[in-house]
Amino acid sequence: MINLSKPTDDDLFDYHYDEPGSLPGTLEFEEDATPSKLLLLDYTENETEFTELTTPEECLSYLSHPSVSWVNVLGLGSQEIWQGVGRVFKLHPLALEDVVNVPQRPKVEDYGQYLVVITQNVRLKEQAKGFYIEQVSLILGNHYLLTVEENHQGDGLRQVRDRIQMGKGIIRTQGADYLMYSILDAIVDGFFPVLEAYGDRIHDLEQEVITHPSRKTLRTLYRIRRELLALRRQIWPLRDAIKLLVRHPNSLIGQDVQIELRDCYDHTLQVMDLVETYRELTSEIMNVYFSSVGNKTNEIMKVLTVIATIFNPLTFVVGVYGMNFNPEASPWNMPELNWAWGYPLVWGIMLSISGGLIYLFWRWGWFEDLSTDLEVEDDR
């Protein structure tokens, strides 16, 4: 499971690949992985049965019934379990490889007797700080659906199971294909609360950039843009996979369910639009950030320019009277040094120059801009 609270490049672009030279269909398991957990929900229109299985072979008695059997596998840790799952459901080694060796790109594979759909489920973290991405695989067969969740601690499909057990909606009157649609719809809808949280964060950052931009703001913007890129990389192939289910009819999917999948496809388009919109907003906010930093620098330079302009002529005056010429040697050697009012006269000249420049800057409107900037600083 990918944790994108503090994403790295490996998190954003991590897809599984086999070691060069390895045999096709090779399954890879972590040595310290937790054993898989098998949950079975068997239901008809009038009754349901929910139980936890010990071995995959226990599914055989349910698969022979006309009821819909939903087998949900939590965790990928046990090789023994997966060997049993492959035997019971007669899965191709390449199908098992796509399910077990995560993460895989969302896709659809038709194996004739069953249909394999690889998806990525997105779940918001606590306090809306980042999100999780975990692979959810669906294998649709005749009267059964096998789902595999990467995270052993997850059970992100509980909402769909509760709907079945409580008899909400029409799901219990439909087949396994409608169950697959319901899970896909729940996975796609899971993107919306994540994007809503990002919309709120982007709005707050927009206000922060305008009022008091900082390097921390820029780092946050960059991180959000990278996380949105990770969402885009998940929803884009998922959209293509659902489009494939809609455009290419399959004997395992009824006509009514294909119509429902169109609505699911529309939801993926909405998610794509939101992701692209938020990515564009982050780019615009970054431009506003750089403009704000540039404007702040210009404000500082304006203040320094006013101060330097006022003191430059004063520096010239005091520089002239800092020269060591002897007025007794020549009547032209600074005779005002011997005047009784020479010192007050120099101060008067300097104050007059300063006052004149201040009046001139005021007429030009420079101080109005500076006072506005100071008011903005006070509001911060």
Side-chain angles (χ1 to χ4, degrees), residues 74-267:
L74 299 177
L76 306 172
S78 175
Q79 184 172 5
E80 181 181 354
I81 289 290
W82 282 105
Q83 290 174 348
V85 170
R87 288 193 303 267
V88 170
F89 293 95
K90 300 178 181 179
L91 300 180
H92 194 280
L94 293 180
L96 279 177
E97 181 183 16
D98 288 339
V99 171
V100 174
N101 298 343
V102 298
Q104 300 285 343
R105 190 174 186 270
K107 61 180 179 178
V108 174
E109 295 287 348
D110 188 354
Y111 286 89
Q113 299 297 323
Y114 53 89
L115 194 67
V116 178
V117 181
I118 305 296
T119 66
Q120 299 292 338
N121 191 19
V122 176
R123 293 187 292 114
L124 192 65
K125 294 192 65 178
E126 296 180 359
Q127 300 179 351
K129 297 297 184 180
F131 56 91
Y132 296 107
I133 297 177
E134 69 169 326
Q135 179 169 307
V136 178
S137 306
L138 299 89
I139 300 178
L140 174 65
N142 189 19
H143 298 296
Y144 75 85
L145 180 69
L146 172 65
T147 59
V148 183
E149 296 185 64
E150 175 188 352
N151 184 19
H152 182 272
Q153 305 296 331
D155 197 9
L157 307 181
R158 180 185 297 273
Q159 182 180 4
V160 179
R161 183 164 58 247
D162 291 342
R163 285 169 51 194
I164 296 174
Q165 292 178 311
M166 290 187 247
K168 293 183 178 179
I170 63 172
I171 189 170
R172 281 170 54 171
T173 64
Q174 304 296 316
D177 54 349
Y178 191 88
L179 174 60
M180 183 193 71
Y181 152 72
S182 300
I183 293 175
L184 286 176
D185 186 63
I187 289 174
V188 174
D189 289 345
F191 282 85
F192 287 103
V194 175
L195 290 173
E196 182 180 358
Y198 276 93
D200 295 337
R201 292 177 64 187
I202 291 173
H203 179 268
D204 295 339
L205 286 172
E206 187 176 13
Q207 299 297 322
E208 183 177 338
V209 164
I210 295 174
T211 56
H212 48 280
S214 63
R215 294 185 63 87
K216 180 181 178 181
T217 306
L218 182 62
R219 288 194 298 267
T220 304
L221 280 170
Y222 181 74
R223 184 171 66 251
I224 289 178
R225 184 171 175 81
R226 300 280 289 179
E227 293 173 3
L228 289 173
L229 178 60
L231 286 175
R232 184 179 184 273
R233 290 177 64 87
Q234 303 304 326
I235 193 61
W236 191 285
L238 181 57
R239 180 203 64 172
D240 294 338
I242 297 177
K243 180 180 179 181
L244 186 63
L245 294 175
V246 173
R247 298 290 177 86
H248 299 277
N250 190 284
S251 59
L252 296 172
I253 302 177
Q255 185 69 28
D256 295 339
V257 175
Q258 283 189 325
I259 296 176
E260 299 288 350
L261 285 172
R262 295 177 189 174
D263 180 68
C264 189
Y265 176 72
D266 290 338
H267 289 175

Side-chain angles (χ1 to χ4, degrees), residues 31 34 56 60 72 91 130 157 185 202 211 230 238 292 309 346-347:
E31 295 180 358
T34 306
L60 292 173
N72 189 23
L91 300 180
L157 307 181
D185 186 63
I202 291 173
T211 56
L238 181 57
S292 299
T309 303
V346 172
W347 268 107

Side-chain angles (χ1 to χ4, degrees), residues 47-87:
E47 59 183 9
T48 63
E49 180 182 353
F50 178 67
T51 182
E52 182 175 346
L53 304 178
T54 305
T55 62
E57 284 73 17
E58 297 178 26
C59 300
L60 292 173
S61 60
Y62 294 92
L63 297 179
S64 60
H65 295 170
S67 59
V68 177
S69 299
W70 176 16
V71 181
N72 189 23
V73 183
L74 299 177
L76 306 172
S78 175
Q79 184 172 5
E80 181 181 354
I81 289 290
W82 282 105
Q83 290 174 348
V85 170
R87 288 193 303 267

Side-chain angles (χ1 to χ4, degrees), residues 12-49:
L12 295 173
F13 305 104
D14 186 20
Y15 283 106
H16 177 81
Y17 66 92
D18 297 325
E19 292 294 333
S22 61
L23 294 175
T26 302
L27 304 184
E28 300 177 2
F29 297 91
E30 298 180 2
E31 295 180 358
D32 57 346
T34 306
S36 303
K37 184 178 181 181
L38 280 74
L39 304 177
L40 184 138
L41 177 59
D42 190 83
Y43 64 91
T44 61
E45 183 178 356
N46 300 318
E47 59 183 9
T48 63
E49 180 182 353

Side-chain angles (χ1 to χ4, degrees), residues 9 56 58 87 144 154 163 232 236 269 272 280 289 312 372:
D9 290 341
E58 297 178 26
R87 288 193 303 267
Y144 75 85
R163 285 169 51 194
R232 184 179 184 273
W236 191 285
L269 296 181
M272 283 294 303
E280 292 177 3
Y289 168 82
N312 276 341
T372 302

